[in-house]
Amino acid sequence: MTATTTGPAFTVGSEIGVLELEPISRTTLALFAGASNDHNPIHIDLDVARSAGLDDVFAHGMLSMAYLARAVQEWIGPRTIRSLGVRFVAITPVHGAPMFRGVVTDVSQDTGTELATIEVTTTLADGTVTLRGSAVVETEERA
Amino acid sequence: MTDLELPGFTTSADRSQLRLFATVIGETSPVHTDVEAARAAGYRDLLLPPTFLFTLELMRPDPAAVLRHLGIDQREVLHGEQHFTYHSPAVAGDELTFEMKVVDYYERKGGALRFVVRRTEVTRGGERVATLQNTLVARRLELS
């Protein structure tokens, strides 16, 4: 028997998806500050960034994680995310254009439910890795 | 340092903020913005996106209390790690209770880097919704 569904391939080693984004604008940072309740001025106020010795503002880590979560859900379709975690490896400067790439690294069973682990790496155009993430998802579609 | 446990608080996501959040992050799935679509997909109301519980936790009264307790200026703070474990979907209007504890604190490089690990349990009427774990890193900067 072979499955004929054309859903994502939950086999170890398969690339499950890629999401490429436009450069992150200052407008996006301002809107995300309001939308996400994170009002830390280091992300939106050049004066504050400079007072901390930085050249410019940089993106909220949680903006990249929100994109990453969006990417995972787009890749897996109507399936459940059990857990999601990231390490923020490097900051994302304003105008950075993150790319998210997901690879299945493990498939396991949890009391009759098949789970897949998707490792997500986020990189900028110059190759800088900004996030390393991991999502555990159910491979069966939601009922 | 790890004795800090803030009083729990209860908040809820409203539809307009979920729609704004979706617009800003380019989220197009209608379960986050269209109540009919959310209900058709089996949710009671607009579904919170996976990272939105972090946003709700920032509704805590006096969100700067943790940094003040640790003597950290917010300009020094970097987000080190963030983890979510989900037990039950949360939707707009759910009354969600957030209970946070500092579970670990350590320093590296002679105190140049300070790490604070916090864990938050999110419940709805006593039912577990999610567990958040957050690591923040404070670096010593020349502040002016």
Side-chain angles (χ1 to χ4, degrees), chain B residues 66 100-103 116-120 132-134 136:
Chain B
V66 175
M100 190 210 78
K101 277 193 261 204
V102 174
V103 294
V116 184
V117 183
R118 294 176 289 167
R119 191 172 300 147
T120 303
L132 281 62
Q133 186 158 307
N134 166 283
L136 66 81

Side-chain angles (χ1 to χ4, degrees), chain B residues 65-122:
Chain B
V66 175
L67 296 183
R68 214 172 37 245
H69 175 83
L70 297 163
I72 293 170
D73 185 292
Q74 70 173 355
R75 290 173 292 176
E76 300 176 302
V77 171
L78 289 174
H79 208 150
E81 292 189 29
Q82 185 67 44
H83 298 271
F84 298 84
T85 304
Y86 303 101
H87 310 297
S88 167
V91 302
D94 279 355
E95 291 285 321
L96 301 172
T97 299
F98 290 73
E99 292 173 285
M100 190 210 78
K101 277 193 261 204
V102 174
V103 294
D104 199 7
Y105 173 86
Y106 51 96
E107 298 184 352
R108 293 286 182 271
K109 299 186 181 174
L113 294 175
R114 290 165 287 167
F115 294 79
V116 184
V117 183
R118 294 176 289 167
R119 191 172 300 147
T120 303
E121 295 294 343
V122 185

Side-chain angles (χ1 to χ4, degrees), chain A residues 40-129:
Chain A
N40 187 340
I42 202 95
H43 300 297
I44 48 180
D45 187 329
L46 187 55
D47 300 335
V48 172
R50 287 186 174 154
S51 79
L54 307 176
D55 293 335
D56 207 338
V57 296
F58 60 96
H60 310 74
M62 289 307 289
L63 174 59
S64 289
M65 193 175 186
Y67 289 139
L68 185 149
R70 178 191 130 195
V72 169
Q73 196 69 70
E74 285 175 8
W75 297 335
I76 68 174
R79 293 173 178 80
T80 297
I81 299 176
R82 287 275 190 99
S83 67
L84 189 65
V86 304
R87 278 195 309 120
F88 299 97
V89 181
I91 65 168
T92 299
V94 63
H95 308 314
M99 181 180 73
F100 302 82
R101 184 180 300 273
V103 175
V104 177
T105 57
D106 186 51
V107 177
S108 64
Q109 296 285 333
D110 174 40
T111 56
T113 304
E114 187 178 68
L115 303 176
T117 301
I118 301 169
E119 298 290 341
V120 184
T121 305
T122 310
T123 51
L124 301 177
D126 66 2
T128 303
V129 174

Side-chain angles (χ1 to χ4, degrees), chain B residues 43-59:
Chain B
Y43 301 108
R44 286 167 287 110
D45 208 301
L46 299 184
L47 178 67
L48 272 58
T51 64
F52 199 83
L53 290 169
F54 181 90
T55 283
L56 278 187
E57 189 173 13
L58 292 171
M59 299 293 285

